[in-house]
Amino acid sequence: MALVEMIMPKMGESIMEGTVLKWLKNVGDTIEQDESVLEVATDKVDTEVPAIQGGVLKEILVQEGDVVAVGAPIAIISTNGEDTAAPAPAATEAPAAAPAPQAAAQPAAASADAAVVKLDQPASGRFYSPLVLNIAREEGISMQELEYIPGTGKEGRVSKKDILTYVEGRKNAPQQAAAPQAQPQAQAPVATTQPQAAPAPAAQPQTQAVPAASKPAASYSGNVEIIEMDRMRKMIADRMVDSKRISPHVTSFVEADVTNIVNWRNKWKNDYKRREGENLTFTPIFIDAIAKAIKDFPMINVSVDGGNIIRHKDINIGMAVALPSGNLIVPNIKNADQLNLNGLTKKVNDLANRGRINKLTPDDLAGGTYTVSNVGSFGNVMGTPIIMQPQVAIMAVGAIKKKPAVIETPEGDLIGIRHFMFLSHSYDHRVVDGSLGGMFVRRVADYLENFDVNQSI
């Protein structure tokens, strides 16, 4: 029987680990090569991991909620499907039979429906995955109570299945769910970091926990609704705070006359839609102008590493995409300077469409060297965007508005109706001075204003 070890794949530049969100296949299931087997969350995106080879899933080595390093084994696949039926129960039941190293589960709760199974002693210092902590917060399980839940994962870790089983038993027998000596009336919310010592269940919970978003009744007054941030929003929040802390932001503004671009797009958009089945938007035109300006000012295409400035030869431009949830995600167009306008349009539409249905890969989000955000799509005339670390600059393009303007002609100055938009350029003042930041955004505006209206697409 040929057995193949499936490992946690490398899912993008700088990604060293992933959290197992959900197994899509069970032990004993037949799987095809490249068929999705599990869902994994990284610090950039949630993605599905395909099977490296077809066969039968013989053994699952990691539990849902476990954080797994890139290259670590996660499953065993039998390539010929033989002798897999018998070992399957052992593969799924073995972890449950292994006691946690800290303490054994109480045997008194023999009935699955009648009682809550708890450890004799708290499993202090045990690792808890973000998924388990989120479930604990939602269910109002304190850190002390969490330490009494038996874990079937590696080194006694609590898996998603473990905590859900505990929650179900807790609902059926709430009086038995609390940890020994704990006071349910004053349960402490789940801590966001692991405790440093093994406290007794009743020991000063306020020093090791922070208020959970789902239980803040005493902290707020008035008619309010408490909404806990999802995983992506928490990640965005942390990164935005880090960026403002790391980079001293300065923003320069330029107003550009984009009348020629508006007229050219109006001329071609319907024909392009019929021919390609896709929309012709302004975004690829903006990205094209930014890529050209980066070639003129390569020191805007840099990042900072301690006392070193890293100048990137590749021009990888990220574009902010709004998701249905309201969150933003920034996929990147690799080597944007090497694509013509049609190629940029195809790439922009592909990334935007896959972003909205959560089908982006970690590689789509990695390697960006400069970012553009189209705040005009929300009707905003300008914005002051926050830099995507470790980049040093980002541009916001505002809404296109008609305005009366002075037009210079051989016969003299005339008043006409033109289309204008603001460009907002935020840059890291550690390495980008006002002259470079200002000249760069002016050059982008020049490329937009001198757009070739005679070109086709």
Side-chain angles (χ1 to χ4, degrees), residues 275-288:
R275 187 179 77 241
E276 304 292 339
E278 298 184 26
N279 293 326
L280 176 59
T281 66
F282 291 109
T283 300
I285 301 174
F286 301 150
I287 291 176
D288 182 57

Side-chain angles (χ1 to χ4, degrees), residues 92-208:
T92 56
E93 293 172 8
Q102 293 86 352
Q106 293 184 7
S111 170
D113 297 327
V116 177
V117 179
K118 300 185 296 293
L119 299 175
D120 289 326
Q121 299 294 328
S124 302
R126 182 169 57 180
F127 173 82
Y128 299 101
S129 70
L131 178 63
V132 169
L133 291 175
N134 285 337
I135 295 174
R137 290 190 188 97
E138 293 171 1
E139 298 296 334
I141 298 174
S142 68
M143 194 67 207
Q144 289 87 349
E145 188 175 348
L146 192 60
E147 291 177 349
Y148 281 86
I149 299 178
T152 61
K154 183 179 179 182
E155 298 179 351
R157 292 180 183 177
V158 176
S159 68
K160 176 183 177 182
K161 181 179 179 181
D162 295 332
I163 192 168
L164 291 180
T165 300
Y166 178 82
V167 168
E168 185 62 29
R170 190 171 179 257
K171 292 177 180 178
N172 294 333
Q175 70 280 3
Q176 301 182 37
Q181 303 180 36
Q183 299 179 14
Q185 300 298 323
Q187 283 185 352
V190 176
T192 57
T193 57
Q194 302 303 321
Q196 300 301 313
Q204 300 181 350
Q206 67 275 14
T207 63
Q208 59 175 323

